[in-house]
Every structure is written in C-alpha cells, then in structure tokens.
Amino acid sequence: MAKHLSELIKKVDPTVVAAARAKADEEIFELRLAQLRQTVEMSQHDLAVALGISQPSVANLEKRGHEVKISSLKRYVEALGGKLSLDVELADGRHIGINV
C-alpha cells in the first residue's frame, strides 16, 4: 500500500525538509511573477520597455524569487498596470492589508 507524502516527510531530516520547502516557495514565487505578467498579456520585452530596463533584467527579476525588493516588486506590478498591496497575517490569525 502506498504511503502518504506526509508520512514519508516525517522520516526525513528536518533541515532537508526545510530547505526543500524554502526552494519550492522560491520557485512558486518566480512562477507567479511570470504568470502575473502573462495574465496581462505582456512579454518580458514589453515589460522591460515599460520599466526602462533590459529584457534580461526582467528575466533576472522574475528568477530572484524571494530576494526581490519590495520597491522592485512595486515597480514591476505598476508597469503591468496594477497596484501592489501586502497582506500581513498576525500570529493570532488576523490579516492586515498594507498598500505599498
């Protein structure tokens, strides 16, 4: 009988699991930036022109994952025609929105 992934993860070194989760989160963030751009049907080249940077710089921005500065993310989103806001989840479960 097949085991659930959660059961298998319990047997793995916690530092390995943490590193894998961090890498997965980073890659998901990268994908979401590219998907956001594609949702508004904008190429990396078009976004680069709107930002006043090169296309490789846009690609690099999308690949940096969690290392992107909020100011860079704000410019990226605004170049797509959007507005950036952050959702902060407190320890007690409350959410506070912050317009950037």
Side-chain angles (χ1 to χ4, degrees), residues 68-87:
V68 173
K69 293 180 182 179
I70 291 176
S71 59
S72 298
L73 183 58
K74 181 180 187 233
R75 286 187 62 225
Y76 183 98
V77 170
E78 288 175 349
L80 295 174
K83 291 183 180 179
L84 180 65
S85 61
L86 300 174
D87 177 56

Side-chain angles (χ1 to χ4, degrees), residues 56-67:
S57 294
V58 171
N60 187 39
L61 183 67
E62 291 179 350
K63 289 180 183 177
R64 285 198 313 236
H66 291 341
E67 294 179 13

Side-chain angles (χ1 to χ4, degrees), residues 32-60:
R32 286 190 177 150
L33 272 184
Q35 286 174 341
L36 180 62
R37 178 179 46 74
Q38 291 167 355
T39 297
V40 298
E41 299 178 353
M42 189 176 274
S43 68
Q44 284 184 342
H45 173 76
D46 294 337
L47 183 57
V49 169
L51 287 168
I53 61 176
S54 67
Q55 178 274 326
S57 294
V58 171
N60 187 39

